[in-house]
Every structure is written in C-alpha cells, then in structure tokens.
Amino acid sequence: MRKIVFTFLLALIVGGVLFPASVFARRVAVFGSLLIERCTNDACTTTEGLTTQFNGVTFLANPGLEKTIASQIPPFWFPVFVNTDTDGPGGGDLDTTMVLVNVSGSSQKIKLTLRDSDGNTVALTTDVFTVDINHTLSLSISNLLP
C-alpha cells in the first residue's frame, strides 16, 4: 500500500514539474469589429440599428489599465482587439471592454455581432443582452469568447 501511495505522490510531483500551469492556459485572440443592434422581437431573430438608445464607451487596455485607448459610443460599430490569456492575464495582454448605459426610457434587448478582420462572424458565448432603463452594461470581450 505504501508503494502505491508513494508512486502516486511521485507521479503528481513529476507531473507538476513537467506540466506547469502555463501549459494549460487558454489564449484568445481576435482583431476585428463589434456591432451592437436592437432586437425587434423576443427571440432576437431580427434586429435594427440603434440611434440614441445608448451612450457609452469602449476601451482597449492591458490588465493594469496602464495604457488605454478609448472611443465613444455611438457609433454602434467599433474596432475590437483581444489578445489575452483567460486563465492568467499578463502585462502584454490586450482586451476590449464595452460599457453601455440605457438612456432610452424603456428596457432594451440588444444583440452583439463580432466579426474578425476578414468580416467573418466570430461566435460568442452570449450575444443577446437585456438592459433595463438607466442600467449600465459592462462587458469584457474576452469573456464572451468561447
């Protein structure tokens, strides 16, 4: 029994040395654009462009927010840059964060469409959001990527 326990513990130690946590890290990268549209039905199968329903800002930053590039919303189509390790972001990583405030006077259901630099749609884990009156929606784009 001692041999089995000793062998198991030795295997764990050797495995930890040979395969550090960084080996299992997941890096996501996207360079493209994000479109925000308003859903015109409950299932959000049809959408229309936004006009004055939201105000907000997007910003591209590294995890420490030491270098930041910001742009105002509207317009509701803006560039997106993501190159980050989702398990342990570091100083060289980049992520785009979007902050929207519903100023329309009614609850709004919106759909996000992410496209890469070639115009191809990039799948998101969640692409439809409901934002109540005067509420703020804050999203990190890297968290929406599968």
Side-chain angles (χ1 to χ4, degrees):
M1 181 67 175
R2 287 184 184 172
K3 286 183 179 181
I4 293 172
V5 172
F6 178 75
T7 304
F8 179 73
L9 288 175
L10 183 62
L12 281 177
I13 292 170
V14 170
V17 171
L18 293 177
F19 301 107
S22 61
V23 170
F24 301 108
R26 188 172 70 89
R27 180 158 288 280
V28 293
V30 172
F31 167 67
S33 61
L34 185 73
L35 172 64
I36 308 168
E37 297 177 292
R38 187 170 70 93
C39 299
T40 56
N41 58 14
D42 287 338
C44 202
T45 54
T46 59
T47 58
E48 67 182 11
L50 292 167
T51 54
T52 59
Q53 294 91 340
F54 289 91
N55 286 333
V57 66
T58 64
F59 55 91
L60 167 68
N62 61 352
L65 297 176
E66 295 157 359
K67 297 173 185 80
T68 304
I69 301 170
S71 62
Q72 185 176 345
I73 299 175
F76 296 102
W77 196 317
F78 51 87
V80 171
F81 304 95
V82 175
N83 185 5
T84 189
D85 178 353
T86 56
D87 294 332
D93 292 350
L94 295 172
D95 198 0
T96 300
T97 302
M98 174 186 73
V99 180
L100 285 175
V101 178
N102 181 351
V103 294
S104 69
S106 65
S107 182
Q108 297 288 323
K109 192 174 201 178
I110 60 171
K111 180 174 177 125
L112 306 179
T113 304
L114 181 61
R115 298 192 184 277
D116 65 14
S117 60
D118 293 327
N120 302 315
T121 302
V122 176
L124 299 173
T125 56
T126 305
D127 63 352
V128 176
F129 298 90
T130 301
V131 185
D132 292 328
I133 303 168
N134 299 324
H135 283 196
T136 302
L137 175 67
S138 176
L139 298 170
S140 174
I141 304 304
S142 66
N143 291 337
L144 298 177
L145 295 171

